[in-house]
Structures are given as structure tokens and as C-alpha cells.
């Protein structure tokens, strides 16, 4: 395949990668697996099939795309190209290796945007080359940089978690305009309005675990479930309390759908590593101020979600306990990645950006 009509191979593969990213985004963030999309092109650049990964235990994107090719067009796979957002896996997990599935279908060329950082699954590109399939990263294939960057973004939090063996950690605060999370008497319900709370609940349903300190568990007795207007949302994250004090037998966090656990420690690095071991790749830290400060001090927080309400208290606990910062120059500067209005409140997401290298993207 060199050109089809007026389109070059690079244009077609860029289009295919763009589409693969769009498809991959339908996949769930929670569940321990990456979001991946795949588009299969015939020898003349014709679209043969497309698919994405719908979550742990379901077919990978490549297998879903192969299954979507109509029987009458299967022969076109011989000499065709697979464009995938993540390197095809090469291991027998809950599903067979995608590398073999592509080879057996006759695919001649594979273009992937991101190398698989999981040592157990990696090696797909190398194996495909060893059996004579032409393999290129999206960068080597010269695909458009903006598309490559969107493809890297699709699995970035998962890849970061897997590379370092620790979940992607999002810390959430709900504060007044003057940065307070509770009034002097400890009341904090509700600072933000229904739209902000509903947004926060939808995000809870997109993570693998929610963590609070024993202070919050004892003061607020939160349920930590993901709820919508019609009740619990389909995915329930693991509910986690961290700290040395007991969690009362009557605590709401012990009840409800899904699993919960008490990590009886103040070692937050150890706690999140334990959550990784339990399968969590995306974790939400919902405070309070003591645990949030400890996590920030330990450099464990990757992303901040701040919900800010137009309420002024003038006194009461701040969102984050003392970090030891004494001059502005010493304060970490985060990068704003999202801002939106939610009813009367404001939502801001900021990231502690860690570089993605071209070998990864
Ligand atoms: N508006 C909001 O967004 C929001 C969110 C959460 C909480 N809050 C408010 O925050 C208040 C509770 O604040 P808080 O600071 O006590 O809650 P917290 O941060 O949830 O819990 C603090 C406790 O966690 C334990 N802990 C675990 N790891 C720790 C570490 N590395 N360093 C220090 N302590 C560690 C300690 O208890 P042990 O002695 O058990 O180890 C500590 O006393 C409540 O009023 C609540 O309403 C507001």
C-alpha cells in the first residue's frame, strides 16, 4: 500500500490512528486495563474493521477489530495493516496474544502509537517482526504529531501507573472560595451544589479505588460509593480507609456494593502500592487535609481535582494541611488541564505533568 487515490499511506494511517483513539476512548478507565483502539486497513487502504477494548476479561481491541471484519472481506486482511493505539500484547492473560491473532489473520503491517510498558504483555512488536510482519511505531511511520499525542494520552495514566508500579493518583477537594473544606464546627456538607457532586460521583465510577484518611471516615462517615440519580452507578470503586485508628463496625464505608478495605498504616506510598497490587491503576484520594498534605509531600499525587463553591467561611480547615512551604517560590506549580462551570460551582483539574518519551509514544 503506497497511495490510494490522492491519499498517501501516512494520511491513511494517521486517519486510522485518529479513529482508533476515538474508539479507544469508549473503553473504561477503571478496571485495571488500558483503553485501546484498533483499525484494520486493507491493502489499498480500505477500512476492513475496527474495535476497542471494553475492559478486563473482554477481547482486546485487535481481536475485536478482527471479529468485526465481514467474512466476505477477510481475504483482504492478507496484506493489510493494523493501526493500534498500544503495542499488541504478546501474552496469554485472560485472552490469547493479539500478536498471534494479527499474524494468523495475515496482517502484513502493524503501526502502534505506544509501546506496552507491562513486562508481562510486552514483546508483541518484536515477535511480529520475527515472523516477518512489518512493524512501525506511529513516530517511525511519520504519523501526524497531534494524533500521536492524542494516542499517547489515551493510555497515559495507565502506562504511567504500570511503568512505576503505582496507581495514577487524583486528589480531590471541594472547597469554599477561600479554600476551606469544613466550617469551624467540622460541618462540610454540602459545600458544593448538586451538579458538582454529580460530576464527582461520575468520576468515582471511573476509578478503581477511593481513599480517605481515618479522620474523614470518623468525622463524616462517608459511604464512598458512586451514585447517580437512580442509585448506585454500575461500576463501584474499592472503598479504602487509611490510618491507624479503627473504623467502627457501623461505618457506612463497610456497607454498600463492591469491596472495601482498611489499610492500617500511615505509609501512603506503601498503601497505594498495595492498591496497585490489588489491581488498581487509577485511584481517587478524597482527603481530608492531613492525608492530602502527606500524599503531596510524598510526591504521590499526579492530578488535582478542585471543586470550588461561591461560599466564603473565613475560618475552618483548609483543603491541605501544612506542606512546609514558607515562600511562594517553593510552591509547586501545576498545569491546568480542564476548567468547567458546574451550576454555581467551578471545577478545575491540574496535573503534575511527567514527561512521556517518544519511545513510549
Ligand atoms: N470538603 C472536602 O473536600 C473534604 C474532604 C475530606 C475531608 N474533609 C473534612 O476534613 C476533616 C477531616 O480532616 P482530617 O485531616 O482529620 O482527615 P484525613 O486526612 O482524612 O485523616 C487524617 C488521619 O489519617 C491518618 N493518616 C493516614 N496516613 C497519614 C499520614 N501519612 N500522615 C498523617 N496522618 C495519616 C491519621 O489518623 P490515624 O491516627 O488513624 O493514623 C490522621 O489523623 C473533616 O471535617 C472532613 O469533613 C473535607
Amino acid at each position: 500500500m503506497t497511495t490510494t487515490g490522492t491519499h498517501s499511506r501516512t494520511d491513511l494511517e494517521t486517519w486510522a490512528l485518529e479513529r482508533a483513539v476515538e474508539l479507544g476512548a469508549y473503553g473504561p478507565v477503571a478496571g485495571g486495563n488500558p483503553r485501546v483502539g484498533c483499525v484494520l486497513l486493507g491493502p489499498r487502504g480500505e477500512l476492513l474493521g475496527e474495535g476497542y477494548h471494553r475492559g478486563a476479561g473482554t477481547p482486546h481491541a485487535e481481536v475485536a477489530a478482527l471479529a468485526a471484519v465481514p467474512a466476505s472481506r477477510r481475504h483482504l486482511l492478507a496484506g493489510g495493516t493494523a493501526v493500534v493505539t498500544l503495542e499488541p500484547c504478546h501474552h496469554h492473560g485472560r485472552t490469547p496474544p493479539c500478536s498471534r491473532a494479527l499474524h494468523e489473520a495475515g496482517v502484513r503491517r502493524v503501526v502502534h502509537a505506544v509501546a506496552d510498558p507491562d513486562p508481562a504483555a510486552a514483546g508483541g512488536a518484536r515477535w511480529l517482526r520475527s515472523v516477518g510482519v512489518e512493524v512501525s511505531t506511529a513516530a517511525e511511520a511519520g504519523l501526524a504529531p497531534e494524533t500521536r499525542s492524542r494516542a499517547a494520552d489515551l493510555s497515559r495514566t495507565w502506562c504511567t501507573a504500570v511503568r512505576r508500579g503505582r496507581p495514577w493518583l487524583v486528589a480531590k477537594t471541594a472547597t469554599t472560595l477561600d479554600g476551606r473544606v469544613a466550617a469551624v464546627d467540622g460541618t462540610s456538607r454540602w459545600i458544593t451544589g448538586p451538579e458538582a457532586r454529580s460530576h464527582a460521583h461520575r468520576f468515582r465510577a471511573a476509578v478503581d479505588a477511593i481513599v480517605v484518611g481515618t479522620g474523614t471516615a470518623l468525622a463524616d462517615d462517608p459511604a464512598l460509593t458512586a451514585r447517580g440519580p437512580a442509585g448506585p452507578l454500575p461500576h463501584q470503586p474499592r472503598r479504602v480507609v487509611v490510618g491507624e485508628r479503627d473504623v467502627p463496625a457501623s461505618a457506612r464505608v463497610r456497607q454498600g456494593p463492591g469491596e472495601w478495605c482498611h489499610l492500617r498504616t500511615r505509609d501512603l506510598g506503601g498503601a497505594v502500592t498495595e492498591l496497585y497490587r490489588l489491581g488498581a491503576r487509577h485511584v481517587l484520594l478524597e482527603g481530608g487535609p492531613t492525608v492530602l498534605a502527606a500524599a503531596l509531600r510524598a510526591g504521590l499525587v499526579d492530578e488535582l481535582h478542585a471543586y470550588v463553591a461561591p461560599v466564603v467561611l473565613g475560618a475552618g480547615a483548609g483543603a491541605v494541611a501544612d506542606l512546609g512551604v514558607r515562600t511562594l517560590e517553593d510552591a509547586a506549580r501545576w498545569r491546568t488541564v480542564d476548567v468547567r462551570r458546574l451550576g454555581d460551582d467551578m471545577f478545575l483539574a491540574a496535573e503534575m505533568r511527567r514527561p512521556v518519551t517518544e519511545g513510549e509514544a
Side-chain angles (χ1 to χ4, degrees), residues 22 49 82 90 92-93 119 126 181 184 189-190 195 212-213 215-216 223 262 307 329 359:
E22 204 174 287
H90 188 56
H92 275 280
R126 200 174 342 108
V181 290
V184 173
R189 289 187 173 160
W190 298 104
E195 290 90 343
V212 295
T216 299
H262 179 194
Y307 296 87
E329 246 184 31

Side-chain angles (χ1 to χ4, degrees), residues 146-313:
E146 318 79 64
T147 306
R148 276 163 32 207
S149 148
R150 275 193 282 279
D153 261 353
L154 184 69
S155 54
R156 186 166 53 86
T157 60
W158 181 88
C159 285
T160 305
V162 169
R163 220 171 276 128
R164 67 186 183 196
R166 172 160 64 73
W168 180 268
L169 190 66
V170 179
K172 177 211 143 182
T173 58
T175 68
T176 61
L177 262 188
D178 54 337
R180 321 252 173 204
V181 290
V184 173
D185 67 355
T187 49
S188 62
R189 289 187 173 160
W190 298 104
I191 289 172
T192 51
E195 290 90 343
R197 296 208 301 276
S198 147
H199 183 271
H201 272 275
R202 285 198 303 279
F203 190 75
R204 278 181 172 183
V207 297
D208 298 305
I210 306 183
V211 181
V212 295
T214 46
T216 299
L218 294 170
D220 295 354
D221 191 19
L224 297 185
T225 48
R227 302 180 298 275
L233 295 172
H235 170 75
Q236 290 298 324
R238 184 190 294 271
R239 305 181 297 279
V240 183
V241 179
V242 59
E244 289 167 357
R245 279 169 289 172
D246 288 336
V247 177
S250 60
R252 292 168 74 207
V253 71
R254 289 175 175 273
Q255 282 112 51
E259 298 182 47
W260 90 284
C261 66
H262 179 194
L263 300 176
R264 206 179 276 276
T265 177
R266 288 184 175 181
D267 170 12
L268 295 181
V272 292
T273 304
E274 172 61 9
L275 294 177
Y276 183 90
R277 198 190 62 75
L278 293 171
R281 303 291 176 266
H282 214 120
V283 170
L284 176 62
L285 177 60
E286 289 211 6
T290 308
V291 161
L292 185 46
L296 285 164
R297 254 190 258 114
L300 297 172
V301 181
D302 298 296
E303 192 174 341
L304 288 170
H305 282 189
Y307 296 87
V308 182
V311 176
V312 178
L313 278 171

